[in-house]
């Protein structure tokens, strides 16, 4: 029963602390006037809705970024243990890089690397 009492005391302390902090913030808060502009884009009016769709040309670029990002995410820990793991780890990494290279080639074919 004493284990439950300790949990109850901890819960009570947490609730009282949260209540005191909330009450203190309400007492010392400075009354502010409502926002006249949106905080998005440093107060500028947005030109489109936040939930608008992205153009399809951004998807190949996102896949290219993910290919390079995921490659670096797995290459660093692999480089730390490759000497201990042996030739099997090298073969697995080349298979992994081949799959990522297929994604990069696809993005290149789709025109993600063109600047125009």
């Amino acid at each position: 029963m004493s284990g439950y009492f300790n949990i109850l005391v901890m819960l009570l302390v947490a609730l009282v602390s949260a209540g005191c902090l909330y009450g203190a913030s309400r007492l010392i808060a400075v009354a502010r006037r409502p926002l006249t502009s949106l905080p998005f884009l440093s107060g500028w009016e947005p030109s489109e809705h936040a939930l608008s769709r992205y153009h399809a040309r951004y998807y190949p670029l996102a896949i290219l970024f993910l290919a390079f990002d995921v490659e670096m995410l797995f290459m660093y820990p692999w480089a730390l243990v490759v000497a201990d793991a042996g030739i099997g780890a090298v073969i697995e990494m080349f298979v992994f890089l081949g799959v990522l290279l297929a994604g990069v080639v696809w993005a290149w074919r789709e025109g993600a690397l063109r600047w125009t």
Side-chain angles (χ1 to χ4, degrees):
M1 192 67 174
S2 69
Y4 291 118
F5 179 72
N6 291 338
I7 293 174
L8 183 63
V9 168
M10 292 277 291
L11 183 63
L12 187 63
V13 167
L15 289 175
V16 168
S17 298
C20 288
L21 288 172
Y22 179 73
S25 70
R26 296 288 286 181
L27 286 175
I28 63 173
V30 178
R32 296 196 175 142
R33 58 179 185 216
L35 290 174
T36 57
S37 64
L38 299 172
F40 178 68
L41 291 175
S42 301
W44 290 88
E45 288 290 326
S47 59
E48 59 188 28
H49 193 273
L51 297 177
S52 62
R53 295 176 182 244
Y54 291 103
H55 195 277
R57 68 176 169 230
Y58 294 119
Y59 291 114
L61 186 63
I63 288 176
L64 182 66
F65 168 75
L66 286 176
F68 285 116
D69 192 42
V70 170
E71 177 183 358
M72 289 298 112
L73 181 74
F74 287 115
M75 289 280 287
Y76 180 72
W78 172 81
L80 295 177
V81 299
V82 69
D84 298 332
I87 193 70
V90 175
I91 293 170
E92 288 176 3
M93 183 51 72
F94 277 113
V95 169
F96 176 71
L97 290 176
V99 170
L100 289 179
L101 183 64
V104 171
V105 168
W106 178 82
W108 191 352
R109 249 189 30 212
E110 291 294 319
L113 299 176
R114 282 189 300 223
W115 290 100
T116 58

